[in-house]
C-alpha cells in the first residue's frame, strides 16, 4: 500500500512537476508561487502529450501494451534525467525546506487580515467537501461510458493489446481511428501498471482526486491572474466552489464533469484544460509573439486530442477565437501564428478522422 | 424558422435544464463587460463567451455539424459546445468582480448573501440525485460485480458470461479477460435475466446459443426456484445476483486465438456432445488476415472431418476491397481449391459505392472471370439506387456484360417504395427501362401493406397499367397473418376484390404450422368455406 501511494505521488505529483520545469521557460509567468502550480499542471499535460505519439505509433505498428510501457517509461526517465542535469534540481528542492515553509506560514499569519482567514477557511471547507466526494462518492449510473474508456485500459493490461479488443465484448475488432488518437485511455492503463492498481481504481479514485486538486490549482492561478487583492482571489475561489457544488443543472453541466466523471477526457478538457488555456492565452496574447509560447500551445493541443476528439473543438474555439480577438485588438497579425502552432496536431488528426467518416 | 426556434429551445433545455444558471451566466458576462477595467480580461472572459454563445445559436453551426456528424447526434454535439466556455470560471469571475469595490464586513455580508443565492438557486450534486452514492471500494464499482468477476476469473481458460444490462458496463472494467456476448446496451433477451417471472429454460437456451459458460441473473427466490426445477444451484451468490453455470441445453461453443479472434464455432447438444447445427455443419473454423478480416472458413462434421454445405462447398475464401468490404467469396472444395457449386458458379464478386451500397453482384469462375450461371439469371446483377439509398433498378447481364433477358422477357426490374420504405410496386422492364409483360400478362405487381409491413394485398397490371387476370383466374391475392406474423390465410380475389374460385376449385388457402414454424398443412376452401381436398 505504501509503495502504491509512493508511486502515485511520484507519477502524478513529482514527475508532472519535473516535466513542467522542463518546459517552464515556455510558461508566461514569473511569479514564484504561481509558477510552481503552472509547472505542475502544464507538466501533467506534457506527460499526456509525450504519451500520444508513442501510443499512436505503437497502435498502428500493432505493438503490444507492454512495449508502450517500456518505451514511454524510458522517454519519461530521459526527460526527468535531463531536467535533473539541466535544472540542478537538488538545489531547487531546498526551496521546500521545512524551515522556509514555517517562515512563510508565520509571514502569512502576520500579513493576512481576519476576513482573509475567514475566506480561506470557507474555501478550504468547500474544497474539502469536494475532495471527500472525489475519494468516496461515485456516479452509479452516468459512468457507463467507462464500459468503453476504462475497459480499453483494463484490456490493455489483461490482454496486452492496444485498442484491438472490443471493450464491450472482449473479442478482437479492427483498429478504430477515433480511439487510437485518444491515447489517454491507454495512459490510464500505463498509470495503473506502474502504480500497480486496477484501471478503475486509477481512474475513479486516484485520478478523480488528483485531477480535482489540479483543477483547483488552475482556478488558483486564475484567481491570481484576475485579481490583485488576496480577498478577491479567495472570494473567486469560494464562488467557483459553490457553483460547482450546486451547479448540477443537467448531466452536461461543468459541475457534473468536475464532481462526477472527472477522469473522462471530455471532463478534463472542460474543467481543467479550457480554463488553463484561458489564463495562458490572455497572457501570451498580451505579449509579443514568441515561438516558445507556440510550442507550449502545441504541447497542450496534443494533450487535448489525446484526451478526446472534442479536444479539436476546444483548441479551435479557445485558441483560434481568442487569438483572432487579440490580433484585432492589438492590431498585431503575428499573433495569428499561434493558430498554426496550436492547430497543426489537432488539424492533422481532425482531417484524418473526418476523412475516415466521409469515406 | 419555427423549426430552428424549437431546435435552439431544445438545446437550451437539454443543457441548462429548468434551473437559473443560464441567467447567472448572462449576469456574469454583463458584470465582466461593464465592471472590469482590464480590456484583455473583458475580451477573454466576456467577449469570447458571448461569441461562443452566438456560434452555438447560429444556423450555420447546425449545417456544419450536420455535414460532419450523424444527424441524430446533433443535439448532443451542440450541447457539448457549451463546454468551450469555462462557465463556472466566468460565473465566479462575474460575481467576484461585482464585489471588488466593497471591503470589510460589507464584503463578507455580500459574499454570504450571494453564496446563499447560489445554494438556493442550484442543485447540489451530492444530495439532489440518487445516482451519486457513497462507494464501498476504491474501484467505485459495486461489490457484487467485483465478487462475480473474482469468482469467474480463470487464468487458463476464456470464460464467456452473460450478465444483466445494469451491470454489463462494469464487468469488463473489473476483469477484461472475461468475454461477453454484448456490451452496455444488451439485446432485448437480457430482460430474461432480471425477469419477475423467470424462465430458466429460456435463459439457458439464449445464453448457450451465444456461447456463454456462465449466466448472471438477479437474486430472487423465483429465480432460484426456476433454476432449481432444472436441478441447477447457483455457483456464486452476491447480494443482488446469482451466478449459474450454463448447462443442460444445446447451443454453441466458441474458441479464440491469442488475439481474441474467434477461430471456431461448434454446435453442442445438452450433454456437450458435438452435433450438426441447422447450417449443416458441426464446426466452422475461421482464418484471419493481418487486418483482422476473416479470409477463410471451413466446415466440419461431428467427427471433425471436412463436410459440404448446400452448395457443395467445404469452405469459402473471402477477399476484401480497400474499404474492408467483402469483395469476392470463392467456394472451396475439400482441398481448399475453388469448386463449381450446385448453384452453377465458383464464386461471387461484389462491388460497392462510397456509401457501402452494393453496386453489382457477379458470378465468377475459379479465376474470378464472370460466368453465366445455369439457373437462367445471367452472370451479373447491377443495382441503381434512388436518393433514399433504396434499390430503384436492378439489371441483369451475361458474362460478356451484355443485357441478359430472364425467361427471355425482362432485363431488369424497377421498384417503387412507400413512405415507410416498403416496396409498393415492382415492374419488369427491358434494357431501356420500359415495362414488359411476363407470360401471365402482367408487367407490374402492386403491394398494399399493413402497419408491420406485411403484404396484405397484391394485384397485377399490364404494361399500360390496366388490371390483369392471371391464368389461374384471379386479379389479386389478399393475405391475413396470425399474431406471430405468419401467413394464416390467402384469398384469391376478382377485379372488385371479392373472393373468387381459381383453377383447382378453391377460393382461399389456410396454413397450419408446426411448433418450429414450418408449414404442417395447407387447407383449401371454396367460397362457402367448405374444405376442398387437393391432391
Amino acid at each position: 500500500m505504501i509503495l502504491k501511494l509512493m508511486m502515485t505521488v511520484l507519477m502524478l505529483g513529482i514527475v508532472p512537476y519535473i516535466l513542467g520545469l522542463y518546459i517552464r521557460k515556455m510558461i508566461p509567468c514569473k511569479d514564484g508561487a504561481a509558477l510552481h502550480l503552472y509547472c505542475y499542471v502544464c507538466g501533467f499535460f506534457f506527460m499526456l502529450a509525450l504519451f500520444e505519439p508513442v501510443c499512436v505509433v505503437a497502435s498502428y505498428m500493432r505493438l503490444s501494451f507492454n512495449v508502450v510501457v517500456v518505451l514511454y517509461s524510458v522517454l519519461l526517465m530521459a526527460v526527468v534525467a535531463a531536467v535533473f542535469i539541466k535544472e540542478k534540481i537538488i538545489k531547487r528542492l531546498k526551496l521546500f525546506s521545512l524551515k522556509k515553509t514555517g517562515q512563510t506560514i508565520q509571514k502569512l499569519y502576520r500579513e493576512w487580515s481576519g476576513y482573509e482567514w475567514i475566506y480561506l477557511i470557507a474555501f478550504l471547507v468547500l474544497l474539502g467537501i469536494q475532495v471527500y466526494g472525489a475519494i468516496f462518492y461515485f456516479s452509479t449510473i452516468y459512468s457507463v461510458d467507462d464500459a468503453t474508456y476504462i475497459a480499453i485500459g483494463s484490456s490493455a493490461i489483461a490482454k496486452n493489446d492496444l485498442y484491438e479488443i472490443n471493450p464491450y465484448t472482449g473479442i478482437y475488432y479492427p483498429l478504430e481511428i477515433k480511439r487510437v488518437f485518444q491515447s489517454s485511455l491507454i495512459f490510464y492503463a500505463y498509470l495503473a501498471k506502474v502504480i500497480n492498481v486496477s484501471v478503475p481504481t486509477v481512474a475513479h479514485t486516484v485520478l478523480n482526486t488528483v485531477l480535482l486538486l489540479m483543477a483547483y490549482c488552475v482556478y488558483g492561478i486564475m484567481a491570481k491572474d484576475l485579481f490583485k487583492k488576496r480577498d478577491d482571489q479567495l472570494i473567486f475561489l469560494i464562488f467557483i466552489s459553490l457553483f460547482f457544488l450546486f451547479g448540477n443543472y443537467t448531466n452536461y453541466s461543468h459541475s457534473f464533469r468536475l464532481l462526477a466523471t472527472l477522469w473522462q477526457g471530455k471532463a478534463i478538457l472542460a474543467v481543467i484544460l479550457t480554463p488553463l488555456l484561458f489564463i495562458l492565452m490572455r497572457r501570451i496574447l498580451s505579449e509579443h509573439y514568441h515561438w516558445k509560447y507556440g510550442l507550449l500551445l502545441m504541447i497542450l493541443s496534443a494533450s487535448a486530442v489525446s484526451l478526446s476528439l472534442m479536444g479539436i473543438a476546444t483548441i479551435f474555439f479557445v485558441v483560434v477565437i481568442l487569438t483572432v480577438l487579440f490580433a484585432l485588438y492589438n492590431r498585431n497579425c503575428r499573433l495569428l501564428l499561434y493558430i498554426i502552432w496550436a492547430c497543426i496536431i489537432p488539424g492533422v488528426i481532425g482531417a484524418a478522422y473526418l476523412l475516415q467518416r466521409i469515406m | 424558422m419555427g423549426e430552428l426556434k424549437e431546435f435552439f429551445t431544445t438545446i437550451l433545455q437539454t443543457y441548462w435544464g429548468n434551473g437559473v444558471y443560464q441567467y447567472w451566466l448572462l449576469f456574469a458576462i454583463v458584470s465582466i463587460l461593464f465592471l472590469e477595467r482590464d480590456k484583455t480580461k473583458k475580451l477573454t472572459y466576456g467577449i469570447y463567451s458571448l461569441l461562443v454563445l452566438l456560434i452555438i445559436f447560429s444556423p450555420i453551426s447546425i449545417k456544419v455539424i450536420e455535414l460532419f456528424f450523424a444527424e441524430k447526434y446533433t443535439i448532443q454535439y451542440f450541447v457539448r459546445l457549451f463546454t468551450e466556455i469555462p462557465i463556472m470560471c466566468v460565473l465566479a469571475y462575474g460575481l467576484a468582480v461585482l464585489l471588488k469595490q466593497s471591503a470589510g464586513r460589507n464584503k463578507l455580508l455580500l459574499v454570504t448573501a450571494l453564496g446563499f443565492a447560489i445554494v438556493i438557486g442550484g442543485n447540489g450534486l451530492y444530495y439532489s440525485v440518487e445516482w451519486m452514492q457513497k462507494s464501498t471500494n476504491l474501484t467505485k464499482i459495486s461489490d457484487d460485480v467485483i465478487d462475480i468477476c473474482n469468482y469467474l476469473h480463470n487464468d487458463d481458460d476464456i470464460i464467456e458470461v452473460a450478465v444483466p444490462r445494469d451491470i454489463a458496463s462494469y464487468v469488463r472494467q473489473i476483469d477484461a479477460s472475461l468475454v461477453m456476448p454484448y456490451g452496455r446496451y444488451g439485446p432485448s433477451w437480457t430482460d430474461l435475466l432480471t425477469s419477475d417471472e423467470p424462465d430458466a429454460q429460456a435463459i439457458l437456451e439464449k445464453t448457450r446459443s451465444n456461447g456463454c459458460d456462465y449466466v448472471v441473473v438477479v437474486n430472487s427466490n423465483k429465480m432460484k426456484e426456476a433454476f432449481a426445477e432444472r436441478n441447477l444451484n447457483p455457483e456464486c451468490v452476491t447480494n443482488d445476483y446469482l451466478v449459474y453455470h450454463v448447462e443442460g441445453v444445446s447451443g454453441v461453443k466458441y474458441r479464440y486465438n491469442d488475439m481474441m479472434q474467434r477461430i471456431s464455432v461448434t454446435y453442442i447438444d445438452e450433454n456437450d456432445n458435438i452435433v450438426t447445427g441447422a447450417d449443416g455443419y458441426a464446426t466452422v473454423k475461421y482464418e484471419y488476415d493481418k487486418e483482422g478480416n476473416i479470409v477463410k472458413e471451413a466446415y466440419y462434421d461431428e467427427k471433425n472431418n471436412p463436410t459440404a454445405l448446400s452448395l457443395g462447398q467445404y469452405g469459402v475464401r473471402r477477399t476484401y476491397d480497400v474499404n474492408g468490404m467483402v469483395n469476392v467469396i470463392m467456394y472451396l472444395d475439400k482441398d481448399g481449391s475453388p469448386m463449381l457449386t450446385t448453384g452453377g458458379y465458383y464464386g461471387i464478386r461484389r462491388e460497392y459505392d462510397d456509401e457501402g451500397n452494393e453496386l453489382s453482384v457477379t458470378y465468377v469462375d475459379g479465376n474470378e472471370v464472370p460466368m453465366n450461371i445455369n439457373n437462367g439469371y445471367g452472370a451479373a446483377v447491377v443495382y441503381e439506387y434512388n436518393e433514399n439509398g433504396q434499390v430503384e433498378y436492378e439489371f441483369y447481364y451475361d458474362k460478356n456484360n451484355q443485357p441478359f433477358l430472364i425467361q427471355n422477357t425482362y432485363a431488369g426490374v424497377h421498384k417503387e417504395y412507400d413512405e415507410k420504405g416498403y416496396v409498393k410496386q415492382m415492374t419488369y422492364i427491358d434494357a431501356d427501362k420500359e415495362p414488359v409483360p411476363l407470360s401471365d400478362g402482367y408487367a407490374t405487381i402492386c403491394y398494399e401493406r399493413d402497419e408491420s409491413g406485411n403484404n396484405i394485398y397484391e394485384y397485377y397490371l399490364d404494361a399500360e397499367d390496366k388490371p390483369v387476370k392471371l391464368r389461374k383466374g384471379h386479379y389479386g391475392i389478399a393475405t391475413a397473418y396470425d399474431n406471430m406474423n405468419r401467413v394464416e390465410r390467402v384469398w384469391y380475389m376478382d377485379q372488385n376484390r371479392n373472393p373468387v374460385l381459381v383453377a383447382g376449385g378453391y377460393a382461399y388457402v389456410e396454413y397450419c404450422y408446426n411448433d418450429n414454424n414450418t408449414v404442417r398443412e395447407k387447407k383449401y376452401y371454396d367460397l362457402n368455406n367448405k374444405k376442398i381436398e387437393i391432391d
Side-chain angles (χ1 to χ4, degrees):
Chain A
M1 184 67 181
I2 292 170
L3 192 65
K4 287 175 184 174
L5 269 174
M6 282 168 62
M7 284 307 291
T8 305
V9 173
L10 178 73
M11 293 309 297
L12 290 166
I14 296 169
V15 170
Y17 178 72
I18 291 173
L19 289 186
L21 286 177
Y22 189 71
I23 57 168
R24 80 174 196 286
K25 283 182 182 158
M26 300 175 197
I27 298 169
C29 172
K30 292 180 178 69
D31 180 334
L35 184 61
H36 289 304
L37 296 181
Y38 267 123
C39 283
Y40 175 57
V41 179
C42 291
F44 175 76
F45 287 113
F46 188 28
M47 269 179 102
L48 286 171
L50 282 176
F51 193 77
E52 175 81 352
V54 176
C55 188
V56 171
V57 172
S59 302
Y60 276 105
M61 291 177 71
R62 307 283 165 106
L63 301 178
S64 68
F65 169 68
N66 288 339
V67 172
V68 171
V69 173
V70 173
L71 286 176
Y72 184 64
S73 299
V74 170
L75 184 64
L76 267 191
M77 281 193 280
V79 178
V80 170
V83 181
F84 265 87
I85 295 162
K86 199 176 142 198
E87 301 287 332
K88 293 168 187 153
I89 206 123
I90 307 296
K91 271 188 186 174
R92 284 184 166 271
L93 288 175
K94 285 180 185 170
L95 289 173
F96 296 104
S97 69
L98 276 175
K99 196 179 163 190
K100 217 168 178 182
T101 312
Q103 284 170 353
T104 313
I105 292 169
Q106 276 181 1
K107 198 180 156 197
L108 284 178
Y109 188 73
R110 279 196 301 272
E111 281 181 6
W112 282 37
S113 72
Y115 290 113
E116 284 169 344
W117 282 109
I118 292 172
Y119 295 137
L120 177 68
I121 291 165
F123 166 63
L124 289 178
V125 169
L126 293 170
L127 180 63
I129 293 169
Q130 292 170 79
V131 172
Y132 181 81
I135 299 171
F136 297 109
Y137 274 76
F138 191 63
S139 157
T140 52
I141 300 173
Y142 295 102
S143 53
V144 287
D145 280 351
D146 287 351
T148 312
Y149 303 150
I150 304 299
I152 284 178
S154 295
S155 172
I157 292 180
K159 294 289 177 186
N160 198 16
D161 77 303
L162 292 171
Y163 306 103
E164 287 192 305
I165 288 177
N166 184 329
Y168 297 149
T169 60
I171 299 171
Y172 173 91
Y173 79 156
L175 273 186
E176 209 184 336
I177 192 165
K178 177 183 164 185
R179 293 273 168 249
V180 171
F181 291 123
Q182 205 179 348
S183 65
S184 57
L185 306 178
I186 303 293
F187 181 72
Y188 294 172
Y190 172 80
L191 287 176
K193 181 105 177 170
V194 256
I195 297 172
N196 194 22
V197 291
S198 69
V199 182
T201 306
V202 159
H204 298 157
T205 302
V206 178
L207 277 171
N208 203 28
T209 313
V210 171
L211 290 170
L212 180 90
L213 293 171
M214 197 180 286
Y216 275 92
C217 286
V218 174
Y219 306 145
I221 299 171
M222 188 179 268
K224 247 176 140 18
D225 187 54
L226 292 174
F227 301 100
K228 280 186 189 141
K229 283 162 48 185
R230 250 194 318 263
D231 62 344
D232 286 332
Q233 293 168 6
L234 288 165
I235 288 168
F236 172 81
L237 289 172
I238 289 171
F239 281 149
I240 207 166
S241 302
L242 283 172
F243 275 122
F244 273 119
L245 276 168
F246 296 94
N248 180 45
Y249 37 87
T250 60
N251 294 339
Y252 293 100
S253 69
H254 284 64
S255 200
F256 178 79
R257 302 261 185 236
L258 183 84
L259 302 179
T261 57
L262 185 51
W263 62 91
Q264 293 181 357
K266 289 190 286 277
I268 300 173
L269 281 174
V271 297
I272 304 179
L273 190 59
T274 304
L276 177 69
L277 280 170
F278 259 61
I279 307 164
L280 289 171
M281 290 307 290
R282 194 182 75 81
R283 283 183 163 263
I284 288 171
L285 295 167
S286 300
E287 293 182 20
H288 289 296
Y289 169 80
H290 198 294
W291 64 267
K292 66 181 182 181
Y293 297 143
L295 206 55
L296 177 65
L297 291 178
M298 192 188 247
I299 289 169
L300 293 177
S301 67
S303 65
V305 177
S306 81
L307 288 166
S308 161
L309 282 183
M310 269 299 283
I312 297 170
T314 300
I315 295 299
F316 171 79
F317 273 88
V318 182
V319 177
V320 176
I321 294 178
L322 283 178
T323 306
V324 170
L325 280 176
F326 273 79
L328 290 171
Y329 174 69
N330 292 327
R331 292 183 188 162
N332 182 354
C333 290
R334 286 202 80 196
L335 293 178
L336 295 175
L337 290 172
Y338 288 130
I339 294 177
I340 299 172
W341 282 102
C343 290
I344 289 175
I345 294 170
V348 170
I349 291 172
Y353 174 62
L354 287 179
L355 213 64
Q356 189 216 22
R357 271 192 92 103
I358 292 164
M359 284 172 73
Chain B
M1 196 64 191
E3 213 174 279
L4 211 59
K5 192 181 163 193
E6 195 184 319
F7 182 73
F8 289 138
T9 313
T10 314
I11 292 171
L12 274 174
Q13 184 70 30
T14 309
Y15 185 77
W16 294 103
N18 298 316
V20 294
Y21 264 71
Q22 61 269 48
Y23 306 113
W24 274 118
L25 180 65
L26 289 175
F27 177 73
I29 292 173
V30 171
S31 167
I32 293 165
L33 290 176
F34 284 94
L35 297 175
E36 180 57 65
R37 285 178 195 161
D38 185 323
K39 285 185 179 164
T40 61
K41 290 177 189 170
K42 243 185 220 188
L43 213 56
T44 312
Y45 294 86
I47 304 287
Y48 169 89
S49 303
L50 273 183
L51 264 177
V52 173
L53 288 176
L54 278 177
I55 291 172
I56 292 172
F57 293 105
S58 148
I60 299 167
S61 310
I62 299 178
K63 289 287 162 209
V64 173
I65 287 190
E66 276 181 1
L67 183 68
F68 293 118
F69 303 99
E71 201 175 321
K72 60 179 175 170
Y73 293 128
T74 308
I75 291 275
Q76 274 196 32
Y77 282 113
F78 253 91
V79 291
R80 284 180 189 179
L81 293 182
F82 280 104
T83 60
E84 305 311 336
I85 306 173
I87 289 173
M88 300 308 187
C89 302
V90 174
L91 287 170
Y93 181 28
L95 290 200
V97 87
L98 200 67
L99 307 180
K100 237 169 139 181
Q101 301 306 321
S102 39
R105 188 186 292 174
N106 287 347
K107 198 170 194 171
L108 181 61
L109 284 173
L110 282 169
V111 170
T112 314
L114 283 171
F116 269 114
I118 297 168
V119 173
I120 291 164
N123 265 334
L125 191 73
Y126 294 122
Y127 66 81
S128 69
V129 287
E130 281 176 9
W131 45 261
M132 202 68 186
Q133 288 174 6
K134 201 163 178 190
S135 176
T136 51
N137 60 66
L138 290 179
T139 66
K140 308 273 182 81
I141 289 171
S142 86
D143 292 335
D144 288 279
V145 175
I146 294 172
D147 291 344
I148 290 165
C149 290
N150 287 341
Y151 177 76
L152 294 176
H153 183 82
N154 187 329
D155 284 326
D156 304 322
D157 204 2
I158 290 164
I159 301 296
E160 194 137 359
V161 59
V163 302
R165 225 176 284 159
D166 50 351
I167 57 168
S169 295
Y170 303 104
V171 169
R172 295 202 70 262
Q173 291 184 50
I174 292 294
D175 189 348
S177 70
L178 295 174
V179 170
M180 286 169 45
Y182 46 82
R184 60 202 252 196
Y185 298 115
S188 56
W189 64 261
T190 54
D191 290 339
L192 290 168
L193 311 185
T194 51
S195 171
D196 294 334
E197 298 297 331
D199 181 346
Q201 176 73 15
I203 291 172
L204 292 168
E205 280 173 0
K206 275 290 176 195
T207 48
R208 199 88 201 266
S209 64
N210 280 280
C212 294
D213 305 297
Y214 289 91
V215 59
V216 178
V217 291
V218 72
N219 187 349
S220 70
N221 287 334
K222 279 189 175 178
M223 192 64 85
K224 279 182 195 161
E225 285 163 15
F227 276 87
E229 280 173 21
R230 294 187 54 85
N231 294 323
L232 287 173
N233 293 315
E235 295 199 1
C236 170
V237 179
T238 70
N239 279 342
D240 295 332
Y241 301 99
L242 305 165
V243 182
Y244 286 94
H245 188 252
V246 178
E247 58 192 54
V249 288
S250 57
V252 295
K253 181 74 189 161
Y254 300 129
R255 281 183 59 231
Y256 300 89
N257 61 13
D258 290 342
M259 292 174 73
M260 290 309 293
Q261 290 165 329
R262 194 172 278 168
I263 52 169
S264 73
V265 180
T266 301
Y267 289 98
I268 47 175
D269 67 10
E270 56 273 19
N271 298 315
D272 281 3
N273 299 314
I274 297 173
V275 291
T276 300
D279 301 322
Y281 55 81
T283 298
V284 54
K285 294 181 183 175
Y286 301 109
E287 288 178 24
Y288 294 79
D289 64 9
K290 277 185 193 169
E291 306 302 317
N293 298 310
I294 294 174
V295 288
K296 200 174 169 188
E297 58 183 62
Y299 314 108
Y300 297 85
D301 65 14
E302 293 159 8
K303 290 176 182 160
N304 206 25
N305 296 317
T307 190
L309 302 195
S310 56
L311 290 169
Q313 82 276 31
Y314 286 82
V316 296
R317 191 179 69 210
R318 295 193 177 103
T319 53
Y320 295 81
D321 65 14
V322 285
N323 296 320
M325 305 289 279
V326 177
N327 187 219
V328 176
I329 292 182
M330 190 62 75
Y331 296 89
L332 307 176
D333 63 15
K334 213 184 268 189
D335 303 322
S337 304
M339 57 164 281
L340 182 66
T341 64
T342 53
Y345 50 86
Y346 286 74
I348 299 172
R349 187 172 68 219
R350 290 185 163 86
E351 285 170 7
Y352 306 87
D353 65 12
D354 292 340
E355 272 83 48
N357 293 318
E358 213 169 58
L359 284 179
S360 66
V361 175
T362 308
Y363 298 95
V364 293
D365 65 15
N367 299 314
E368 297 187 16
V369 175
M371 63 180 288
N372 284 351
I373 55 174
N374 56 12
N375 63 0
Y377 278 92
V381 187
V382 174
Y383 302 102
E384 283 182 22
Y385 292 82
N386 63 19
E387 58 193 13
N388 297 323
Q390 297 155 323
V391 175
E392 190 175 14
Y393 290 98
E394 58 181 61
F395 291 102
Y396 311 106
Y397 290 89
D398 67 13
K399 63 180 181 179
N400 300 315
N401 207 23
Q402 295 301 311
F404 182 88
L405 295 182
I406 292 181
Q407 297 169 18
N408 278 327
T409 315
Y410 62 99
V413 293
H414 168 57
K415 291 175 184 171
E416 287 180 33
Y417 299 83
D418 62 19
E419 65 278 5
K420 285 184 177 170
Y422 298 117
V423 175
K424 65 174 184 184
Q425 197 168 305
M426 195 166 79
T427 305
Y428 297 92
I429 54 174
D430 61 19
D432 299 320
K433 298 186 178 178
E434 292 299 324
V436 285
L438 303 189
S439 57
D440 228 357
Y442 67 90
T444 298
I445 309 176
C446 300
Y447 302 99
E448 291 175 7
R449 297 179 189 272
D450 64 12
E451 284 297 308
S452 312
N454 293 317
N455 172 23
I456 52 171
Y457 192 75
E458 68 178 54
Y459 57 98
Y460 315 95
L461 305 175
D462 65 14
E464 273 84 44
D465 283 350
K466 288 179 185 151
V468 175
K469 183 178 182 181
L470 302 196
R471 266 189 229 125
K472 206 168 178 179
H474 62 290
Y475 282 82
I477 291 176
T479 308
Y481 298 82
D482 65 12
N483 53 10
M484 290 173 74
N485 247 6
R486 299 176 299 196
V487 173
E488 195 174 26
R489 283 194 189 90
V490 172
W491 286 274
Y492 295 88
M493 313 297 256
D494 66 13
Q495 201 168 358
N496 301 316
R497 297 199 178 192
N498 295 316
V500 64
L501 282 180
V502 292
Y506 56 91
Y508 70 93
V509 187
E510 194 174 85
Y511 290 78
C512 302
Y513 293 89
N514 295 311
D515 289 343
N516 63 1
N517 293 333
T518 53
V519 176
R520 187 182 69 237
E521 190 186 359
K522 285 185 194 175
K523 295 174 182 171
Y524 298 85
Y525 296 89
D526 66 12
L527 290 171
N528 300 316
N529 300 324
K530 189 180 163 196
K531 197 172 170 191
I532 307 288
E533 293 304 325
I534 305 266
D535 291 336

